[in-house]
Amino acid sequence: MNEFELIRRHFTQATPNAVLGVGDDAAIVRPSPGHDLHVSVDMLVAGRHFFPDVDPEALGHKTLAVNLSDMAAMGATPRWAVLALALPQLDGAWVEAFARGFFGLAAQHGVSVIGGDTTRGPLTLSVTIFGETPQGQALRRDAAQAGDDIWVSGELGLAAAALQQRLGRLDLALPPECRRQLEWPQPRVALGRALLGIAHAALDISDGFAADLHHILDRSACGAEVWLDALPTHPALHGARAQLLSCIAAGGDDYELCFTASPARADAVLAAARQAGVAVTKVGRIVAEPGLRLLNGQGAAVTLERLGYDHFA
Amino acid sequence: MNEFELIRRHFTQATPNAVLGVGDDAAIVRPSPGHDLHVSVDMLVAGRHFFPDVDPEALGHKTLAVNLSDMAAMGATPRWAVLALALPQLDGAWVEAFARGFFGLAAQHGVSVIGGDTTRGPLTLSVTIFGETPQGQALRRDAAQAGDDIWVSGELGLAAAALQQRLGRLDLALPPECRRQLEWPQPRVALGRALLGIAHAALDISDGFAADLHHILDRSACGAEVWLDALPTHPALHGARAQLLSCIAAGGDDYELCFTASPARADAVLAAARQAGVAVTKVGRIVAEPGLRLLNGQGAAVTLERLGYDHFA
């Protein structure tokens, strides 16, 4: 099978919401009038973002999930994606399983995969995703206001705990949800959309809660107090909270949303979360004074050794 | 310097035609009303698409140029791009030179670089580019009609000859334009735009003239006759035409346009080329019968050993 046949067989699927799909020099889409177009790109490299022996179907899912999570963080409705991948060799079964994971999640979210590029090289995946919001309504990182509540969706630290265990750095019985969160993250697209007009600032937690919250504080020129005991995690991990604090507060790979909203909108936040079928937890508040203060149960400031993932550290 | 500082310093530049540029979960742009949005992605891998020791400024230029060439092939006006790159290490001088080449060409074409992702890994570059045409006017591969003239822009085979020489497979004095074409290709954006409403089908020649022309024939369900002696190349290479035939007709990396147009529009084609400042040459014609017939000066059919580049061959 040559390159063109491989691409055609696995990566060319129906593109109902495109004018022109795969097969020309460019795909053609028609953005919705009165909407802003959101664009985000992520690159995943074997041995850095995933284990080379990972289940290819899970990898296909996660490759798109991390991009959908960026759309969720803006409150955008994802519509189109393109996929570029470098593969060390042509392995039909691997490519088929990867495509199953990738296109399966795309179909769940009504996303058309409108283009791609395949080449030989060290296993590397790059997805660019496109979504839409009504003009001017996006959830941006620079919109937090002093007095806002800080919320997070779902549970934190599960994926990081699974990764630490896989690396032999954590000796603890973990619930199966940890590995599932690491390999099959569920992007919070419905929650992001439901928060339009309710939340102020938002982002998705990919490098760790504390590091990512810093991005909101930097862009919004404000500070925050966070109650570490309030950070939500899996019930089975409560007994090991102290041991897992760095996973929960700074672990990365959560793909949950962190957002701020006026305390007056707390009921609307909870209603949006119910509508989206996702739990949300209030974990702190935005303050005018710059800096992030992490507080323990006694209200004392806590310093974390590392705040998040630096790809070149 | 950590990852975030590196990215900020070199890859965050003004984005005048974006609502929101680098620094959030997604960039936000506002597509032009009444226009179609064109999207294309290309991935370049060290050791496959370029020599690892290539001048980083030239690499930055070429990384964007091959994407601009896809927009040119659609007749689209390029507007935005995102860049994902994996780097083996943080080398400030390398990154600065790469960014100079990339952003320099972007500025020439009024393209805003609205987002990106940087990670550690084997040197890999992935660009997604966005352009616009008035709705329904794009130059597509499926629009060739029997009786059309086949045209190519510029000169063919220069980059392929330079590559063969660099690989030690060609012992021939080459004009400096060959290496320049390989390292600093000039995408034919102005020509593509000028051909809107004049040309029928179009694409850019990246994998070799014959292989790429096959894509037009496949998508348009037609065939072609091509006069090999008419294929344009550099005057200094005329004496070695026979030796260089595979470079000229099937070499790849030309980034010239190949397009078809009604013979009745030949004067309009020539006027568009003059307006764009690019030479164009008529090299054959579209016929109803499927298949590509390459004819020599005596009108006899010629078979080429290989038609184009297969990344997994």
Side-chain angles (χ1 to χ4, degrees):
Chain A
M1 203 189 321
N2 74 22
E3 182 193 7
F4 297 113
E5 287 161 359
L6 176 93
I7 295 168
R8 245 196 311 263
R9 186 191 284 192
H10 293 298
F11 292 113
T12 308
Q13 304 202 4
T15 53
N17 65 1
V19 176
L20 179 64
V22 176
D24 212 306
D25 292 287
I28 304 178
V29 298
R30 204 157 280 177
S32 307
H35 282 64
D36 283 332
L37 183 73
H38 294 245
V39 180
S40 180
V41 61
D42 269 297
M43 181 177 267
L44 283 76
V45 176
R48 181 143 294 261
H49 299 92
F50 57 89
F51 294 102
D53 65 351
V54 67
D55 167 15
E57 186 174 352
L59 180 62
H61 171 97
K62 185 167 176 174
T63 299
L64 184 61
V66 304
N67 283 276
L68 288 169
S69 186
D70 285 318
M71 293 296 103
M74 306 296 290
T77 300
R79 298 205 59 202
W80 306 287
V82 298
L83 165 67
L85 67 170
L87 299 171
Q89 68 277 317
L90 276 192
D91 175 340
W94 194 97
V95 170
E96 187 186 344
F98 178 89
R100 197 164 54 237
F102 191 90
F103 283 89
L105 186 62
Q108 276 178 42
H109 288 273
V111 168
S112 285
V113 182
I114 56 172
D117 193 19
T118 312
T119 186
R120 188 194 283 268
L123 183 54
T124 307
L125 310 157
S126 179
V127 172
T128 307
I129 193 162
F130 316 95
E132 295 182 318
T133 54
Q135 277 187 11
Q137 291 198 24
L139 306 177
R140 298 165 51 144
R141 295 180 175 185
D142 60 6
Q145 299 178 16
D148 277 1
D149 292 327
I150 301 170
W151 299 81
V152 298
S153 66
E155 298 170 336
L156 303 182
L158 280 65
L163 178 63
Q164 292 302 313
Q165 188 182 60
R166 165 82 197 249
L167 293 171
R169 297 180 192 150
L170 181 68
D171 184 19
L172 195 68
L174 298 177
E177 287 84 353
C178 289
R179 180 149 174 209
R180 187 158 179 86
Q181 183 65 26
L182 179 63
E183 297 191 349
W184 294 86
Q186 297 300 321
R188 301 307 191 187
V189 174
L191 178 61
R193 290 177 62 173
L195 289 170
L196 285 181
I198 298 172
H200 287 154
L203 49 59
D204 74 317
I205 306 173
S206 55
D207 287 338
F209 166 76
D212 285 323
L213 178 54
H214 263 293
H215 294 311
I216 288 182
L217 305 185
D218 288 347
R219 304 269 297 188
S220 300
C222 58
E225 280 179 11
V226 166
W227 319 306
L228 288 176
D229 286 359
L231 292 176
T233 193
H234 192 277
L237 303 180
H238 284 171
R241 255 195 104 86
Q243 185 183 355
L244 292 175
L245 181 59
S246 69
C247 287
I248 297 168
D253 255 350
D254 291 308
Y255 301 107
E256 296 292 349
L257 298 189
C258 172
F259 57 96
T260 81
S262 161
R265 304 305 304 278
D267 285 345
V269 167
L270 292 168
R274 267 195 306 276
Q275 182 195 323
V278 182
V280 293
T281 307
K282 200 192 307 184
V283 300
R285 63 186 185 97
I286 298 292
V287 298
E289 192 193 341
L292 170 57
R293 281 167 294 282
L294 302 171
L295 305 176
N296 67 14
Q298 288 71 49
V302 174
T303 303
L304 292 179
E305 250 177 64
R306 55 189 285 286
L307 278 187
Y309 191 73
D310 179 344
H311 292 284
F312 289 94
Chain B
M1 200 186 327
N2 73 23
E3 182 193 7
F4 297 112
E5 288 161 358
L6 176 92
I7 294 168
R8 245 196 312 264
R9 185 190 285 191
H10 293 297
F11 291 113
T12 308
Q13 303 202 4
T15 53
N17 64 1
V19 175
L20 179 64
V22 177
D24 212 305
D25 292 287
I28 304 178
V29 298
R30 203 157 282 178
S32 307
H35 283 64
D36 283 333
L37 183 73
H38 294 245
V39 180
S40 181
V41 61
D42 270 296
M43 180 177 267
L44 282 74
V45 176
R48 182 144 293 261
H49 299 91
F50 56 89
F51 294 100
D53 64 351
V54 67
D55 168 14
E57 186 174 352
L59 180 62
H61 171 97
K62 185 167 176 174
T63 300
L64 185 60
V66 303
N67 284 275
L68 288 168
S69 186
D70 285 318
M71 293 295 104
M74 306 296 290
T77 301
R79 299 205 58 202
W80 307 287
V82 299
L83 166 67
L85 67 170
L87 298 171
Q89 69 276 318
L90 275 191
D91 175 340
W94 193 97
V95 169
E96 186 187 345
F98 178 89
R100 197 163 56 237
F102 191 90
F103 283 91
L105 186 62
Q108 276 178 41
H109 288 274
V111 168
S112 285
V113 182
I114 56 172
D117 192 18
T118 313
T119 185
R120 188 195 283 269
L123 183 55
T124 306
L125 310 156
S126 179
V127 171
T128 306
I129 193 161
F130 314 93
E132 295 181 320
T133 53
Q135 276 187 12
Q137 292 198 22
L139 306 178
R140 298 166 52 145
R141 294 180 176 185
D142 59 7
Q145 298 178 15
D148 277 1
D149 292 327
I150 301 171
W151 300 80
V152 297
S153 66
E155 298 169 338
L156 303 182
L158 281 65
L163 179 63
Q164 291 303 314
Q165 187 182 61
R166 165 82 199 249
L167 293 171
R169 296 180 193 150
L170 181 68
D171 183 20
L172 195 68
L174 297 178
E177 287 84 353
C178 289
R179 181 149 174 208
R180 186 156 180 88
Q181 183 65 26
L182 179 63
E183 297 190 349
W184 294 86
Q186 298 300 321
R188 302 307 191 187
V189 174
L191 177 62
R193 289 176 63 173
L195 289 171
L196 285 181
I198 298 171
H200 288 153
L203 51 56
D204 74 316
I205 306 172
S206 55
D207 287 337
F209 166 76
D212 285 323
L213 178 55
H214 262 296
H215 295 312
I216 287 182
L217 305 185
D218 287 347
R219 305 270 296 188
S220 299
C222 57
E225 280 179 12
V226 166
W227 318 307
L228 288 176
D229 286 358
L231 292 176
T233 192
H234 192 278
L237 302 180
H238 284 170
R241 253 193 108 85
Q243 186 182 357
L244 293 175
L245 181 60
S246 69
C247 287
I248 297 168
D253 255 352
D254 292 306
Y255 301 108
E256 296 293 349
L257 297 190
C258 172
F259 57 96
T260 81
S262 162
R265 305 304 305 277
D267 286 345
V269 167
L270 292 168
R274 268 195 306 276
Q275 181 195 326
V278 182
V280 293
T281 307
K282 201 192 308 183
V283 301
R285 64 189 184 95
I286 298 292
V287 298
E289 192 193 341
L292 170 58
R293 281 168 294 283
L294 302 171
L295 305 176
N296 67 13
Q298 288 72 49
V302 173
T303 305
L304 292 179
E305 249 178 62
R306 55 189 285 285
L307 279 187
Y309 191 75
D310 180 345
H311 291 287
F312 289 93

